[in-house]
Amino acid sequence: MLETLKEFVCCESPSTEKAAADACASLIANTWKRRRVQVEVLEQKHRGAHLRITHVPEGGNPRGQVLLLGHYDTVYASGTLLKMPFRIAGGKIFGPGTFDMKAGIVQALFALDALQQLAAPLAKRIVFLWTSDEEIGSESSRKLLEAEARRSDAVLVLEPALGPQGLLKTARKGVGDAEIIVHGRASHAGLAPEKGVNAIHELALQLTRIKQWNNLTRGISVNAGVIEGGTRSNVIPDRARAVVDLRALRIADMRAIEKRLRALKPVSPGAKLEIRGGFSRAPLERKHSAALFQRAAMLAKQMGLKIGECTAGGGSDGNLTAALGIPTLDGFGAVGDGAHSPGEHIIAKTMPERAALLAAMLMHS
Ligand SMILES: [Zn+2]
């Protein structure tokens, strides 16, 4: 497992560098081609290829499908390995993309190996989908993964687990960005202040209003992360803009926030508001993961492993599949810490445990 992980990590695959991502896709494809599976390399125009790998049970009469979903792209630009090399120390494996989520792909590969070597009886077809652009919003993979999810009875997402206990993610917040653009009227701040409509003042009033929508106990957060507007202090600005991060734990709350956003009215006479964007990934509500988690917990117990669950504040492609009503369990991948940071690592001894749990899950699907 370590050797395979080393190969995958040492082949850097930033989402935004197509040639590098394609090279990693073909490395991963070649590794899977050495198994009894069908490997499809789905070339993309602007991004790395997506990989669809299909395992059909012996006898070839599957009763349904399980989708194993993940991504091989990382947030690290080519050359990051020089500062952040693949290394093993104190039972931890460091390197860009180890935790998020190349180890998850390796674990899935070895789960499949275990099932094939044992000639385990499987009822369902297994589709592994490794995409190239999850870290930048899944634009090129969204249709593909949603179509594959619709054909599936369940989706297991090989994204990292949470914390040293490797908690599975049974709920994820929905996320999105909204833009609030204020159109005012420019004027000279000294000579004709009465003719101006100050877009910055108006934006400030709107931001004060939406700040009240925060409700952390319900899992709703609204965060103005970027503001811009104005040219000089003696000019009444005619335009100002804010980009706001939106999060919600419940679909009903997501809808309510979007509705309130669209219903915002200007406070200053003469100002106009333009609202763009909104949630891009709906929440993964626990009801979509509960049954799968219960099965995973029961199997883990039989195997002498402990697993727990948590709610994640960030979104993943699991949000997209759950939004279609397909049972989805996320965080089935590596155990470790430090995603998207120089200290990114996984805990080596958990790799075979997680692969075994995944194999058990597939046998009981
Ligand atoms: Zn990820």
Side-chain angles (χ1 to χ4, degrees):
M1 293 182 94
L2 293 180
E3 257 167 44
T4 309
L5 180 61
K6 185 178 181 182
E7 275 178 21
F8 288 2
V9 172
C10 292
C11 187
E12 293 178 290
S13 51
S15 332
T16 50
E17 296 176 34
K18 178 173 161 57
D22 274 336
C24 187
S26 75
L27 170 71
I28 296 172
N30 288 336
T31 309
W32 285 77
K33 277 176 191 165
R34 282 178 237 132
R35 276 75 183 177
R36 294 190 305 280
V37 286
Q38 185 202 348
V39 178
E40 293 163 88
V41 179
L42 309 167
E43 301 287 348
Q44 302 300 306
K45 201 166 176 189
H46 303 294
R47 302 291 174 215
H50 307 310
L51 300 176
R52 177 167 52 202
I53 297 151
T54 308
H55 174 269
V56 181
E58 303 288 328
N61 218 345
R63 290 196 311 275
Q65 173 172 308
V66 185
L67 175 61
L68 270 63
L69 183 59
H71 62 92
Y72 69 81
D73 61 316
T74 74
V75 296
Y76 306 95
S78 285
T80 301
L81 270 174
L82 295 172
K83 300 169 284 184
M84 199 179 149
F86 180 91
R87 69 188 171 92
I88 305 174
K92 295 176 177 172
I93 308 167
F94 294 84
T98 44
F99 183 47
D100 188 8
M101 52 149 277
K102 287 177 173 172
I105 299 177
V106 175
Q107 288 167 198
L109 180 73
F110 280 76
L112 175 74
D113 280 354
L115 293 171
Q116 291 193 335
Q117 281 166 24
L118 295 169
L122 296 172
K124 289 183 163 56
R125 175 173 54 238
I126 307 170
V127 172
F128 304 84
L129 196 58
W130 308 131
T131 65
S132 66
D133 65 348
E134 193 272 348
E135 297 289 6
I136 52 170
S138 308
E139 205 184 312
S140 79
S141 56
R142 184 167 182 155
K143 275 208 178 88
L144 172 71
L145 70 91
E146 287 180 338
E148 214 51 64
R150 279 196 193 94
R151 281 193 280 273
S152 304
D153 306 304
V155 181
L156 302 176
V157 186
L158 276 291
E159 287 280 359
L162 185 90
Q165 311 98 326
L167 303 178
L168 297 180
K169 295 171 178 173
T170 50
R172 272 188 186 273
K173 286 186 178 177
V175 293
D177 276 344
E179 259 184 288
I180 302 177
I181 300 163
V182 180
H183 301 280
R185 196 182 317 119
S187 185
H188 192 299
L191 300 181
E194 72 287 351
K195 289 186 181 156
V197 178
N198 190 313
I200 294 178
H201 289 179
E202 174 65 27
L203 181 62
L205 293 170
Q206 297 298 336
L207 294 179
T208 313
R209 189 181 265 170
I210 67 168
K211 182 179 175 285
Q212 310 299 324
W213 301 350
N214 277 292
N215 185 340
L216 300 187
T217 48
R218 262 187 89 81
I220 300 171
S221 61
V222 177
N223 177 64
V226 177
I227 57 167
E228 59 184 33
T231 51
R232 294 176 191 279
S233 66
N234 61 357
V235 175
I236 294 179
D238 67 347
R239 190 177 185 276
R241 169 182 171 265
V243 184
V244 182
D245 178 278
L246 308 169
R247 296 187 189 243
L249 207 46
R250 297 175 176 85
I251 289 170
D253 289 341
M254 171 185 85
R255 297 217 172 102
I257 292 283
E258 288 201 317
K259 209 169 159 190
R260 292 175 87 171
L261 202 58
R262 307 280 162 203
L264 285 173
K265 294 276 177 296
V267 181
S268 329
K272 284 199 190 84
L273 296 183
E274 184 186 340
I275 311 292
R276 293 187 192 163
F279 281 83
S280 53
R281 285 175 174 147
L284 191 173
E285 292 187 344
R286 195 181 178 281
K287 66 180 180 199
H288 291 302
S289 63
L292 287 171
F293 177 72
Q294 204 177 17
R295 193 190 307 155
M298 184 198 73
L299 293 168
K301 201 173 164 198
Q302 288 176 15
M303 297 166 74
L305 302 172
K306 272 205 194 94
I307 58 160
E309 62 179 310
C310 70
T311 294
S316 87
D317 286 338
N319 294 58
L320 301 178
T321 61
L324 302 171
I326 314 297
T328 298
L329 184 56
D330 205 332
F332 223 110
V335 180
D337 205 357
H340 302 193
S341 83
E344 176 163 349
H345 67 271
I346 62 160
I347 312 290
K349 74 172 167 55
T350 61
M351 285 187 81
E353 292 174 2
R354 287 281 157 153
L357 182 59
L358 182 59
M361 229 15 216
L362 292 170
M363 269 187 74
H364 294 84
S365 287

